[in-house]
Amino acid sequence: MANATAPLILVVEDEPAQLELICYNLQKEGFAIERASDGEEALLLAGEVKPDLIILDWMLPHVSGIEVCRQLRSQKNTRHIPILMLTARSAEADRVRGLDTGADDYVVKPYSVDELIARTRAVLRRTRPASVGEMLTYEDLVLDTERHKVKRGGQKLKLGPTEYRLLCTFMEKPGRVWSREQLLDRAWGRDADVDLRTVDVHVGRLRKALLKDGQQDLIRTVRGSGYSLDNDDS
Ligand code: CA
């Protein structure tokens, strides 16, 4: 099974040496990688593998990086994926800064690998905090993603690995309603062959584990939609 907690990064760059350099260094840092060397491939892959972040070169043959960015933002299944743009010229950088591209951040070439990794982590810290070892809190819950420990009201909780990954997902975006398909992608990995009812079973186990001492139920079932981490009882 894929390591569901390692962030998956799609790297889009047409220069083979650059592509290799970026991928090598990201993998060394523990990221999972998919690669594309033109815009069309990038658009296909983005919809297919649902990366946690896309590193996207501005200058690409055929479909430009900027057009890829625009198309990613216009499609429902890729709209939310963070984009880190690689730009060569300051005029390009100005446009990215002006946010008319939809990119989340940008790095100007020539850049150092350290800078690229730092920017990658910074974007992930905002969008997938559990994946880069951040401490997550919600109400009286504390999740230490570095040491894989969970506490509620100061008391240690014992969670199975799947329940732990589900909780990571919930705590990254409290209040957000997750469909069972989305939870499956996150907690089991994108290639997993798992029945959606299995998601219900594990959410049920997580709910039970969190309620150990009769505290408030923080998992809300949203009929017809899925689940969320929510303190709203109504
Ligand atoms: Ca290029």
Side-chain angles (χ1 to χ4, degrees):
M1 192 185 75
N3 180 357
T5 54
L8 177 65
I9 302 185
L10 172 60
V11 183
V12 190
E13 166 67 84
D14 59 311
E15 289 140 71
Q18 281 290 320
L19 181 63
E20 203 40 56
L21 180 76
I22 297 171
C23 292
Y24 170 79
N25 282 287
L26 287 171
Q27 277 173 321
K28 213 173 71 180
E29 294 289 319
F31 296 107
I33 293 294
E34 285 283 345
R35 49 188 91 198
S37 48
D38 64 54
E40 279 163 18
E41 198 185 357
L43 288 166
L44 268 173
L45 268 176
E48 214 174 280
V49 305
K50 299 170 200 147
D52 295 302
L53 174 84
I54 300 176
I55 295 179
L56 177 61
D57 186 30
W58 179 294
M59 295 291 284
L60 293 171
H62 316 305
V63 187
S64 72
I66 205 77
E67 177 59 19
V68 172
C69 193
R70 201 190 61 75
Q71 289 194 31
L72 289 169
R73 285 291 176 259
S74 69
Q75 283 161 26
K76 193 171 169 254
N77 62 337
T78 56
R79 180 174 295 157
H80 63 281
I81 303 172
I83 298 170
L84 181 60
M85 204 90 183
L86 303 178
T87 78
R89 295 192 293 267
S90 65
E92 292 171 355
D94 287 345
R95 270 187 73 190
V96 182
R97 194 184 302 127
L99 295 177
D100 54 349
T101 60
D104 293 79
D105 201 0
Y106 67 97
V107 176
V108 180
K109 290 180 175 180
Y111 54 82
S112 72
V113 166
D114 286 349
E115 183 191 1
L116 182 65
I117 301 235
R119 294 295 184 100
T120 299
R121 284 194 193 284
V123 174
L124 287 171
R125 207 169 289 130
R126 294 201 300 270
T127 54
R128 291 272 330 258
S131 72
V132 284
E134 293 289 289
M135 187 85 94
L136 304 179
T137 61
Y138 179 71
E139 297 285 312
D140 56 352
L141 277 172
V142 179
L143 198 157
D144 181 341
T145 62
E146 198 115 273
R147 299 190 299 156
H148 285 223
K149 291 200 168 133
V150 184
K151 283 183 179 176
R152 179 159 195 193
Q155 299 274 56
K156 253 192 226 161
L157 299 182
K158 266 204 167 150
L159 298 182
T162 304
E163 287 72 40
Y164 173 80
R165 289 194 295 269
L166 282 169
L167 185 61
C168 280
T169 303
F170 283 128
M171 288 187 72
E172 284 188 330
K173 292 213 164 56
R176 168 180 165 166
V177 179
W178 296 85
S179 70
R180 294 188 296 171
E181 288 86 353
Q182 289 166 333
L183 291 173
L184 202 157
D185 278 354
R186 279 298 187 88
W188 278 264
R190 295 160 184 86
D191 307 323
D193 185 19
V194 174
D195 193 283
L196 286 179
R197 284 179 195 201
T198 308
V199 178
D200 296 328
V201 170
H202 285 271
V203 170
R205 281 186 200 160
L206 172 63
R207 186 196 302 270
K208 207 173 148 201
L210 296 180
L211 286 173
K212 204 175 158 205
D213 295 321
Q215 291 118 321
Q216 183 190 5
D217 186 4
L218 293 177
I219 306 273
R220 190 161 63 98
T221 305
V222 185
R223 198 171 272 265
S225 301
Y227 299 98
S228 76
L229 183 70
D230 202 326
N231 62 2
D232 186 1
D233 279 333
S234 58

Short mmCIF file of all heavy atoms in Angstrom, two decimals, residues 39-84:
data_model
loop_
_atom_site.label_atom_id
_atom_site.label_comp_id
_atom_site.label_asym_id
_atom_site.label_seq_id
_atom_site.Cartn_x
_atom_site.Cartn_y
_atom_site.Cartn_z
N GLY A 39 2.62 19.96 -20.69
CA GLY A 39 1.38 20.40 -20.06
C GLY A 39 0.24 19.41 -20.17
O GLY A 39 -0.54 19.23 -19.23
N GLU A 40 0.13 18.76 -21.34
CA GLU A 40 -0.97 17.82 -21.53
C GLU A 40 -0.85 16.65 -20.57
O GLU A 40 -1.84 16.21 -19.97
CB GLU A 40 -0.99 17.32 -22.98
CG GLU A 40 -1.66 18.30 -23.91
CD GLU A 40 -1.35 18.04 -25.37
OE1 GLU A 40 -0.90 16.92 -25.70
OE2 GLU A 40 -1.54 18.96 -26.18
N GLU A 41 0.36 16.14 -20.46
CA GLU A 41 0.61 15.03 -19.54
C GLU A 41 0.31 15.47 -18.11
O GLU A 41 -0.27 14.72 -17.32
CB GLU A 41 2.09 14.60 -19.68
CG GLU A 41 2.39 13.23 -19.13
CD GLU A 41 3.89 12.91 -19.17
OE1 GLU A 41 4.68 13.75 -19.68
OE2 GLU A 41 4.26 11.85 -18.67
N ALA A 42 0.68 16.69 -17.79
CA ALA A 42 0.44 17.22 -16.45
C ALA A 42 -1.05 17.26 -16.13
O ALA A 42 -1.47 16.85 -15.04
CB ALA A 42 1.04 18.63 -16.33
N LEU A 43 -1.85 17.74 -17.09
CA LEU A 43 -3.29 17.83 -16.86
C LEU A 43 -3.91 16.45 -16.66
O LEU A 43 -4.75 16.25 -15.78
CB LEU A 43 -3.96 18.57 -18.01
CG LEU A 43 -3.68 20.08 -18.05
CD1 LEU A 43 -4.08 20.67 -19.40
CD2 LEU A 43 -4.42 20.78 -16.91
N LEU A 44 -3.48 15.50 -17.49
CA LEU A 44 -3.98 14.13 -17.36
C LEU A 44 -3.64 13.54 -16.01
O LEU A 44 -4.50 13.01 -15.30
CB LEU A 44 -3.36 13.25 -18.45
CG LEU A 44 -4.14 13.12 -19.76
CD1 LEU A 44 -3.31 12.36 -20.79
CD2 LEU A 44 -5.46 12.39 -19.51
N LEU A 45 -2.34 13.64 -15.65
CA LEU A 45 -1.87 13.05 -14.41
C LEU A 45 -2.50 13.70 -13.18
O LEU A 45 -2.82 13.02 -12.21
CB LEU A 45 -0.35 13.18 -14.32
CG LEU A 45 0.47 12.01 -14.86
CD1 LEU A 45 1.95 12.33 -14.78
CD2 LEU A 45 0.17 10.73 -14.08
N ALA A 46 -2.66 15.01 -13.24
CA ALA A 46 -3.22 15.71 -12.07
C ALA A 46 -4.60 15.18 -11.72
O ALA A 46 -4.91 14.95 -10.55
CB ALA A 46 -3.27 17.21 -12.34
N GLY A 47 -5.42 14.95 -12.74
CA GLY A 47 -6.76 14.42 -12.50
C GLY A 47 -6.72 12.98 -12.03
O GLY A 47 -7.59 12.53 -11.27
N GLU A 48 -5.71 12.26 -12.49
CA GLU A 48 -5.64 10.83 -12.22
C GLU A 48 -5.06 10.53 -10.84
O GLU A 48 -5.62 9.74 -10.08
CB GLU A 48 -4.73 10.22 -13.28
CG GLU A 48 -5.10 8.83 -13.72
CD GLU A 48 -4.19 8.42 -14.88
OE1 GLU A 48 -4.47 8.85 -16.01
OE2 GLU A 48 -3.19 7.72 -14.62
N VAL A 49 -3.93 11.14 -10.51
CA VAL A 49 -3.24 10.77 -9.27
C VAL A 49 -3.55 11.70 -8.10
O VAL A 49 -3.18 11.43 -6.97
CB VAL A 49 -1.70 10.69 -9.46
CG1 VAL A 49 -1.35 9.74 -10.59
CG2 VAL A 49 -1.08 12.05 -9.70
N LYS A 50 -4.25 12.80 -8.37
CA LYS A 50 -4.63 13.75 -7.32
C LYS A 50 -3.46 14.09 -6.39
O LYS A 50 -3.48 13.74 -5.20
CB LYS A 50 -5.79 13.20 -6.50
CG LYS A 50 -7.04 12.96 -7.34
CD LYS A 50 -8.07 12.20 -6.53
CE LYS A 50 -9.10 11.51 -7.39
NZ LYS A 50 -9.56 10.24 -6.80
N PRO A 51 -2.44 14.76 -6.91
CA PRO A 51 -1.29 15.09 -6.07
C PRO A 51 -1.65 16.09 -4.97
O PRO A 51 -2.64 16.80 -5.07
CB PRO A 51 -0.30 15.72 -7.06
CG PRO A 51 -1.15 16.24 -8.17
CD PRO A 51 -2.32 15.31 -8.27
N ASP A 52 -0.82 16.13 -3.93
CA ASP A 52 -1.02 17.10 -2.84
C ASP A 52 -0.48 18.46 -3.23
O ASP A 52 -0.83 19.47 -2.60
CB ASP A 52 -0.31 16.61 -1.58
CG ASP A 52 -0.94 15.33 -1.07
OD1 ASP A 52 -2.15 15.34 -0.80
OD2 ASP A 52 -0.24 14.31 -0.99
N LEU A 53 0.39 18.48 -4.24
CA LEU A 53 1.00 19.74 -4.68
C LEU A 53 1.54 19.52 -6.10
O LEU A 53 2.00 18.43 -6.43
CB LEU A 53 2.16 20.10 -3.74
CG LEU A 53 3.01 21.31 -4.13
CD1 LEU A 53 2.34 22.60 -3.66
CD2 LEU A 53 4.40 21.21 -3.54
N ILE A 54 1.48 20.58 -6.90
CA ILE A 54 2.07 20.51 -8.24
C ILE A 54 3.16 21.56 -8.34
O ILE A 54 2.93 22.74 -8.03
CB ILE A 54 1.01 20.75 -9.34
CG1 ILE A 54 -0.09 19.70 -9.24
CG2 ILE A 54 1.65 20.72 -10.74
CD1 ILE A 54 -1.25 19.90 -10.21
N ILE A 55 4.36 21.12 -8.71
CA ILE A 55 5.45 22.06 -9.02
C ILE A 55 5.43 22.20 -10.54
O ILE A 55 5.60 21.23 -11.27
CB ILE A 55 6.81 21.54 -8.52
CG1 ILE A 55 6.79 21.49 -6.98
CG2 ILE A 55 7.94 22.43 -9.01
CD1 ILE A 55 8.08 20.97 -6.36
N LEU A 56 5.17 23.42 -11.01
CA LEU A 56 4.83 23.61 -12.41
C LEU A 56 5.73 24.66 -13.05
O LEU A 56 5.75 25.82 -12.63
CB LEU A 56 3.35 24.05 -12.48
CG LEU A 56 2.74 24.39 -13.83
CD1 LEU A 56 2.77 23.18 -14.77
CD2 LEU A 56 1.30 24.86 -13.63
N ASP A 57 6.46 24.23 -14.08
CA ASP A 57 7.32 25.17 -14.80
C ASP A 57 6.47 26.06 -15.71
O ASP A 57 5.50 25.61 -16.32
CB ASP A 57 8.33 24.37 -15.64
CG ASP A 57 9.36 25.28 -16.29
OD1 ASP A 57 9.66 26.34 -15.72
OD2 ASP A 57 9.85 24.92 -17.38
N TRP A 58 6.82 27.32 -15.75
CA TRP A 58 6.09 28.28 -16.58
C TRP A 58 6.30 28.00 -18.06
O TRP A 58 5.37 28.00 -18.86
CB TRP A 58 6.56 29.70 -16.22
CG TRP A 58 5.95 30.80 -16.99
CD1 TRP A 58 6.08 31.07 -18.33
CD2 TRP A 58 5.10 31.83 -16.48
NE1 TRP A 58 5.38 32.18 -18.66
CE2 TRP A 58 4.77 32.69 -17.55
CE3 TRP A 58 4.61 32.13 -15.19
CZ2 TRP A 58 3.97 33.80 -17.40
CZ3 TRP A 58 3.82 33.25 -15.05
CH2 TRP A 58 3.49 34.07 -16.14
N MET A 59 7.59 27.77 -18.43
CA MET A 59 7.94 27.59 -19.84
C MET A 59 7.88 26.12 -20.22
O MET A 59 8.78 25.35 -19.93
CB MET A 59 9.35 28.12 -20.11
CG MET A 59 9.50 29.62 -19.93
SD MET A 59 8.63 30.55 -21.20
CE MET A 59 9.77 30.33 -22.57
N LEU A 60 6.77 25.73 -20.86
CA LEU A 60 6.60 24.35 -21.32
C LEU A 60 6.24 24.38 -22.80
O LEU A 60 5.61 25.34 -23.26
CB LEU A 60 5.46 23.66 -20.54
CG LEU A 60 5.66 23.40 -19.05
CD1 LEU A 60 4.35 22.92 -18.43
CD2 LEU A 60 6.76 22.37 -18.81
N PRO A 61 6.60 23.34 -23.56
CA PRO A 61 6.20 23.32 -24.97
C PRO A 61 4.70 23.05 -25.10
O PRO A 61 4.09 22.50 -24.19
CB PRO A 61 7.02 22.15 -25.53
CG PRO A 61 7.29 21.26 -24.36
CD PRO A 61 7.37 22.16 -23.16
N HIS A 62 4.13 23.41 -26.22
CA HIS A 62 2.70 23.19 -26.53
C HIS A 62 1.79 23.96 -25.56
O HIS A 62 1.46 25.09 -25.80
CB HIS A 62 2.35 21.70 -26.56
CG HIS A 62 3.36 20.86 -27.29
ND1 HIS A 62 3.75 21.12 -28.59
CD2 HIS A 62 4.10 19.79 -26.89
CE1 HIS A 62 4.66 20.25 -28.96
NE2 HIS A 62 4.90 19.43 -27.95
N VAL A 63 1.39 23.30 -24.48
CA VAL A 63 0.53 23.98 -23.50
C VAL A 63 1.43 24.60 -22.43
O VAL A 63 2.16 23.90 -21.73
CB VAL A 63 -0.44 22.98 -22.82
CG1 VAL A 63 -1.43 23.72 -21.94
CG2 VAL A 63 -1.17 22.14 -23.87
N SER A 64 1.39 25.92 -22.29
CA SER A 64 2.28 26.60 -21.35
C SER A 64 1.88 26.33 -19.90
O SER A 64 0.74 25.93 -19.62
CB SER A 64 2.23 28.11 -21.59
OG SER A 64 1.00 28.62 -21.14
N GLY A 65 2.82 26.56 -19.00
CA GLY A 65 2.54 26.37 -17.58
C GLY A 65 1.36 27.20 -17.11
O GLY A 65 0.54 26.76 -16.30
N ILE A 66 1.27 28.38 -17.63
CA ILE A 66 0.21 29.29 -17.22
C ILE A 66 -1.17 28.77 -17.67
O ILE A 66 -2.16 28.87 -16.95
CB ILE A 66 0.50 30.71 -17.79
CG1 ILE A 66 -0.15 31.76 -16.94
CG2 ILE A 66 0.14 30.89 -19.22
CD1 ILE A 66 0.61 31.99 -15.69
N GLU A 67 -1.20 28.16 -18.85
CA GLU A 67 -2.45 27.58 -19.36
C GLU A 67 -2.80 26.32 -18.55
O GLU A 67 -3.97 26.07 -18.24
CB GLU A 67 -2.30 27.27 -20.85
CG GLU A 67 -3.50 26.60 -21.51
CD GLU A 67 -4.79 27.40 -21.42
OE1 GLU A 67 -4.72 28.62 -21.18
OE2 GLU A 67 -5.87 26.79 -21.56
N VAL A 68 -1.78 25.55 -18.19
CA VAL A 68 -2.01 24.37 -17.35
C VAL A 68 -2.63 24.81 -16.02
O VAL A 68 -3.61 24.25 -15.55
CB VAL A 68 -0.69 23.60 -17.07
CG1 VAL A 68 -0.89 22.50 -16.04
CG2 VAL A 68 -0.14 23.02 -18.37
N CYS A 69 -2.06 25.86 -15.46
CA CYS A 69 -2.55 26.42 -14.20
C CYS A 69 -4.02 26.82 -14.32
O CYS A 69 -4.85 26.48 -13.48
CB CYS A 69 -1.68 27.63 -13.86
SG CYS A 69 -1.88 28.21 -12.19
N ARG A 70 -4.33 27.53 -15.41
CA ARG A 70 -5.70 27.99 -15.62
C ARG A 70 -6.66 26.81 -15.74
O ARG A 70 -7.75 26.80 -15.15
CB ARG A 70 -5.75 28.84 -16.91
CG ARG A 70 -6.94 29.76 -17.00
CD ARG A 70 -7.06 30.38 -18.38
NE ARG A 70 -7.25 29.38 -19.43
CZ ARG A 70 -8.39 28.72 -19.65
NH1 ARG A 70 -9.46 28.98 -18.91
NH2 ARG A 70 -8.47 27.82 -20.60
N GLN A 71 -6.25 25.80 -16.49
CA GLN A 71 -7.13 24.63 -16.68
C GLN A 71 -7.30 23.83 -15.39
O GLN A 71 -8.38 23.31 -15.11
CB GLN A 71 -6.60 23.74 -17.80
CG GLN A 71 -6.77 24.38 -19.17
CD GLN A 71 -6.58 23.38 -20.30
OE1 GLN A 71 -6.87 22.20 -20.17
NE2 GLN A 71 -6.06 23.86 -21.43
N LEU A 72 -6.22 23.71 -14.62
CA LEU A 72 -6.33 23.01 -13.33
C LEU A 72 -7.34 23.70 -12.43
O LEU A 72 -8.13 23.07 -11.75
CB LEU A 72 -4.97 22.95 -12.63
CG LEU A 72 -3.90 22.03 -13.22
CD1 LEU A 72 -2.56 22.30 -12.57
CD2 LEU A 72 -4.30 20.56 -13.04
N ARG A 73 -7.30 25.03 -12.44
CA ARG A 73 -8.18 25.81 -11.59
C ARG A 73 -9.64 25.79 -12.05
O ARG A 73 -10.55 26.05 -11.28
CB ARG A 73 -7.70 27.27 -11.52
CG ARG A 73 -6.47 27.46 -10.66
CD ARG A 73 -6.81 27.24 -9.19
NE ARG A 73 -5.63 27.34 -8.35
CZ ARG A 73 -4.98 26.27 -7.86
NH1 ARG A 73 -5.39 25.05 -8.12
NH2 ARG A 73 -3.93 26.43 -7.08
N SER A 74 -9.85 25.48 -13.34
CA SER A 74 -11.22 25.52 -13.86
C SER A 74 -11.92 24.16 -13.73
O SER A 74 -13.11 24.06 -14.01
CB SER A 74 -11.21 25.97 -15.32
OG SER A 74 -10.63 24.96 -16.12
N GLN A 75 -11.18 23.12 -13.33
CA GLN A 75 -11.81 21.81 -13.23
C GLN A 75 -12.04 21.41 -11.78
O GLN A 75 -11.17 21.58 -10.94
CB GLN A 75 -10.93 20.75 -13.93
CG GLN A 75 -11.08 20.82 -15.45
CD GLN A 75 -9.94 20.14 -16.17
OE1 GLN A 75 -9.30 19.25 -15.61
NE2 GLN A 75 -9.66 20.59 -17.39
N LYS A 76 -13.22 20.84 -11.58
CA LYS A 76 -13.67 20.56 -10.22
C LYS A 76 -12.71 19.65 -9.46
O LYS A 76 -12.43 19.89 -8.28
CB LYS A 76 -15.06 19.91 -10.29
CG LYS A 76 -15.78 19.83 -8.97
CD LYS A 76 -17.23 19.38 -9.15
CE LYS A 76 -17.84 19.07 -7.80
NZ LYS A 76 -18.01 17.63 -7.56
N ASN A 77 -12.20 18.60 -10.13
CA ASN A 77 -11.38 17.62 -9.39
C ASN A 77 -9.92 18.05 -9.20
O ASN A 77 -9.17 17.38 -8.51
CB ASN A 77 -11.46 16.23 -10.04
CG ASN A 77 -10.93 16.25 -11.46
OD1 ASN A 77 -10.89 17.29 -12.09
ND2 ASN A 77 -10.50 15.10 -11.93
N THR A 78 -9.52 19.17 -9.82
CA THR A 78 -8.13 19.62 -9.64
C THR A 78 -8.06 21.04 -9.07
O THR A 78 -6.96 21.52 -8.77
CB THR A 78 -7.36 19.61 -10.98
OG1 THR A 78 -8.06 20.41 -11.94
CG2 THR A 78 -7.21 18.20 -11.52
N ARG A 79 -9.19 21.68 -8.92
CA ARG A 79 -9.27 23.08 -8.51
C ARG A 79 -8.53 23.38 -7.21
O ARG A 79 -7.88 24.41 -7.06
CB ARG A 79 -10.75 23.44 -8.35
CG ARG A 79 -11.04 24.85 -7.92
CD ARG A 79 -12.53 25.09 -7.95
NE ARG A 79 -13.05 25.00 -9.30
CZ ARG A 79 -14.31 24.73 -9.63
NH1 ARG A 79 -15.19 24.51 -8.69
NH2 ARG A 79 -14.69 24.70 -10.88
N HIS A 80 -8.60 22.44 -6.27
CA HIS A 80 -8.07 22.67 -4.92
C HIS A 80 -6.58 22.35 -4.78
O HIS A 80 -5.99 22.60 -3.74
CB HIS A 80 -8.86 21.80 -3.94
CG HIS A 80 -8.67 20.34 -4.26
ND1 HIS A 80 -9.34 19.72 -5.29
CD2 HIS A 80 -7.84 19.42 -3.74
CE1 HIS A 80 -8.94 18.46 -5.36
NE2 HIS A 80 -8.03 18.25 -4.43
N ILE A 81 -5.97 21.76 -5.82
CA ILE A 81 -4.57 21.30 -5.67
C ILE A 81 -3.63 22.51 -5.67
O ILE A 81 -3.64 23.31 -6.59
CB ILE A 81 -4.18 20.34 -6.83
CG1 ILE A 81 -5.12 19.14 -6.88
CG2 ILE A 81 -2.71 19.89 -6.66
CD1 ILE A 81 -4.90 18.25 -8.09
N PRO A 82 -2.81 22.65 -4.63
CA PRO A 82 -1.89 23.79 -4.58
C PRO A 82 -0.86 23.73 -5.70
O PRO A 82 -0.41 22.64 -6.06
CB PRO A 82 -1.21 23.67 -3.22
CG PRO A 82 -1.87 22.57 -2.50
CD PRO A 82 -2.70 21.79 -3.46
N ILE A 83 -0.50 24.89 -6.23
CA ILE A 83 0.46 24.97 -7.33
C ILE A 83 1.62 25.88 -6.95
O ILE A 83 1.41 27.02 -6.51
CB ILE A 83 -0.21 25.50 -8.61
CG1 ILE A 83 -1.33 24.55 -9.05
CG2 ILE A 83 0.82 25.68 -9.74
CD1 ILE A 83 -2.21 25.12 -10.15
N LEU A 84 2.82 25.34 -7.10
CA LEU A 84 4.04 26.12 -6.91
C LEU A 84 4.65 26.33 -8.29
O LEU A 84 5.04 25.37 -8.95
CB LEU A 84 5.00 25.36 -5.98
CG LEU A 84 6.33 26.00 -5.63
CD1 LEU A 84 6.14 27.32 -4.92
CD2 LEU A 84 7.13 25.05 -4.75
#
